[in-house]
Amino acid sequence: MSGSPSQFQISQVEAALIALLKSVMPDAYGTVEVPIWIDIDSLGDKDFDAEGQLVLKPPAIRVRFDRTRRNLLHDNQRLTYQATVGFDILCFESSLRSKADERLQTLKLAQTIENQLAGARVALADGTNSMPCSLGSTYLVAESTGSVDQLFCVEVVAEGIQQYNGPNARLGS
């Protein structure tokens, strides 16, 4: 970690992951000579139609916060934690050949995401960096209806120190 103490905020980690993916994925998924534009953002309302079906313009990557786990770091005031912040990185690619080829193209996109995020340190807006990112599971998400009926999810965890200012701490009491 570098910089000053951080609360390792979920919104900062998400923004840093999206910024990292936007900077590396076009060249990694394509080539330096012919980068491939990828629609990368957090998962939001614009990604669903009126019926609640997922609608993405491929190739697409969406980042969705999943969880935070904290371990207390020998702090009797309970103000300093080792935090693991988990995200689901959803990816979708299309193919006019077949659904099997579409699944294969989406898997290639997922594998590229894995390669780019494994061990990556994300730079947060407060000037700190995460510890190296860890990968969790990668799995197929199948929907029964809609234009996006199969996509892959890559689980990624960013880890860092959360330090709080302690308005509830009772020093000397």
Side-chain angles (χ1 to χ4, degrees):
M1 299 251 317
S2 65
S4 59
S6 170
Q7 288 185 358
F8 204 65
Q9 297 174 357
I10 296 164
S11 59
Q12 284 190 15
V13 177
E14 180 181 68
L17 274 172
I18 291 169
L20 175 62
L21 287 167
K22 284 183 176 183
S23 71
V24 299
M25 285 301 294
D27 292 346
Y29 189 57
T31 65
V32 174
E33 296 80 22
V34 185
I36 295 178
W37 178 86
I38 302 172
D39 183 16
I40 302 171
D41 209 342
S42 60
L43 187 65
D45 290 342
K46 67 186 179 321
D47 298 319
F48 297 92
D49 64 15
E51 288 78 42
Q53 299 295 318
L54 186 60
V55 180
L56 299 173
K57 182 180 179 202
I61 296 172
R62 291 295 181 269
V63 177
R64 177 179 66 189
F65 170 71
D66 181 51
R67 71 200 165 283
T68 297
R69 292 195 175 117
R70 295 174 186 88
N71 290 318
L72 187 61
L73 291 179
H74 306 293
D75 178 353
N76 64 2
Q77 293 295 315
R78 308 292 194 255
L79 301 176
T80 307
Y81 299 85
Q82 180 76 22
T84 57
V85 183
F87 290 88
D88 293 335
I89 312 296
L90 305 169
C91 56
F92 174 67
E93 179 62 285
S94 66
S95 173
L96 299 176
R97 292 185 189 135
S98 68
K99 285 295 181 185
D101 190 57
E102 185 170 284
R103 188 170 40 257
L104 178 61
Q105 297 307 315
T106 304
L107 182 57
K108 288 178 183 177
L109 182 58
Q111 290 168 333
T112 305
I113 292 167
E114 290 172 344
N115 191 50
Q116 295 303 309
L117 292 183
R121 293 177 184 266
V122 294
L124 305 180
D126 67 5
T128 62
N129 292 314
S130 73
M131 294 176 186
C133 288
S134 302
L135 299 177
S137 299
T138 297
Y139 56 92
L140 177 66
V141 178
E143 299 289 328
S144 57
T145 61
S147 62
V148 179
D149 61 353
Q150 56 186 355
L151 63 149
F152 280 92
C153 175
V154 178
E155 295 176 335
V156 64
V157 172
E159 193 171 343
I161 304 295
Q162 286 183 328
Q163 293 180 310
Y164 295 94
N165 63 8
N168 298 309
R170 296 191 178 145
L171 301 172
S173 298

